[in-house]
Amino acid sequence: MHPSHLSELLYPRHCPFCDRLLRDDEPYLCRSCAKNIPWIRGPVCTSCGRPLDNEQGEYCGDCRKRPHLYRQGIVPFVYKGQVQESLMRFKYNGRAEYADFYARAIGMRGKESFARWKPEMTAAVPVHPSRFVRRGYNQAGVLAEKLAAGLGIPDVSGYLYRRKKTAPQKELTPADRRKNLDGAFGVRDGFRFPSRVLLVDDIYTTGATMDELAKTVRMHGAEEVWFACLASTPGEG
């Protein structure tokens, strides 16, 4: 038996949206979900990529309030409904195979941007070792590897680490999120980032995590930093 066939028997592939088992002729999504992919449509924030309520605006309320240390971001979906449920399974229920579709979705959404940006490496937001042990993997790291492979660039997530175990961001105010993350990330001794770096995470909320990680990689060689996330929470205004 071919190794890939054995792998699918032991770890059968599921549709990222409905979690139904996929057939051989369904490489990423089941046929039903493939007809109704919930892409972000309409105008988006020039900075973070989340949808805008005001078609005349350029930035979302969050990005108008504070400048960011990254240049721009790519986000294909809003973190709600079936996308939220999908990411919870990806994060906590071991559905690492979802990353194949996630990376493809980001690649499709960001095709033109990536061509302009020309990132040289991807780097995922690192998790604390205790969370890695509990989940069994870093979901952002798996996504970064798949995205890097699609872009034909290396993924250097292994050179980043979490200095401290931070409180869950969802429980904090925007100001406390930034304080919580201050000095949270480190870079392995001797590693220098190239000029153009693409940061990767699963969910974008206020930008506090991306800003802190952007600060870290810029302190170690990067000059231009962008990000890609699968989904963002709805912004303000």
Side-chain angles (χ1 to χ4, degrees):
M1 180 179 293
H2 192 278
S4 63
H5 295 161
L6 178 60
S7 177
E8 289 190 13
L9 285 175
L10 295 175
Y11 307 102
R13 298 177 303 114
H14 296 77
C15 174
F17 287 141
C18 69
D19 204 43
R20 183 180 67 76
L21 286 173
L22 293 176
R23 302 184 311 205
D24 290 342
D25 61 346
E26 297 173 328
Y28 298 104
L29 298 172
C30 72
R31 290 185 178 181
S32 177
C33 290
K35 296 176 182 177
N36 299 287
I37 299 175
W39 300 106
I40 288 177
R41 301 185 187 281
V44 298
C45 175
T46 301
S47 179
C48 72
R50 60 169 36 122
L52 292 172
D53 293 331
N54 180 2
E55 293 189 6
Q56 303 302 315
E58 186 174 0
Y59 299 103
C60 69
D62 289 336
C63 292
R64 285 198 302 269
K65 290 178 180 178
R66 62 185 64 86
H68 292 292
L69 297 177
Y70 62 78
R71 294 197 59 181
Q72 202 172 15
I74 290 294
V75 184
F77 305 117
V78 175
Y79 184 63
K80 64 180 182 179
Q82 63 185 155
V83 174
Q84 181 176 357
E85 294 170 2
S86 175
L87 278 168
M88 287 299 96
R89 292 192 298 270
F90 178 57
K91 196 168 187 174
Y92 299 114
N93 292 356
R95 290 285 193 260
E97 76 268 21
Y98 287 4
D100 288 326
F101 167 71
Y102 292 167
R104 185 175 177 83
I106 291 172
M108 292 173 64
R109 182 74 177 189
K111 183 178 180 180
E112 293 182 2
S113 295
F114 294 147
R116 292 195 311 271
W117 300 347
K118 296 180 172 58
E120 298 170 89
M121 291 180 175
T122 61
V125 175
V127 296
H128 190 269
S130 63
R131 289 192 178 128
F132 185 93
V133 170
R134 186 164 65 249
R135 298 175 191 170
Y137 66 105
N138 176 7
Q139 77 282 351
V142 174
L143 179 56
E145 288 179 6
K146 297 290 186 180
L147 183 57
L151 294 173
I153 59 178
D155 174 62
V156 297
S157 301
Y159 290 99
L160 289 167
Y161 65 95
R162 202 104 178 188
R163 291 182 185 275
K164 58 182 182 180
K165 186 177 180 180
T166 53
Q169 291 286 88
K170 62 183 179 181
E171 301 173 3
L172 305 175
T173 65
D176 286 339
R177 287 171 186 260
R178 294 177 183 276
K179 184 177 179 180
N180 183 48
L181 286 164
D182 187 35
F185 306 119
V187 177
R188 305 294 177 192
D189 289 347
F191 185 76
R192 296 288 294 177
F193 285 90
S195 176
R196 302 184 302 277
V197 177
L198 179 66
L199 303 179
V200 180
D201 203 0
D202 53 351
I203 305 166
Y204 180 95
T205 306
T206 65
T209 300
M210 283 300 169
D211 280 334
E212 184 63 29
L213 194 57
K215 180 177 74 174
T216 301
V217 301
R218 287 174 64 177
M219 290 172 60
H220 291 80
E223 296 177 7
E224 297 182 286
V225 181
W226 300 272
F227 80 81
C229 289
L230 184 77
S232 70
T233 57
E236 299 179 4

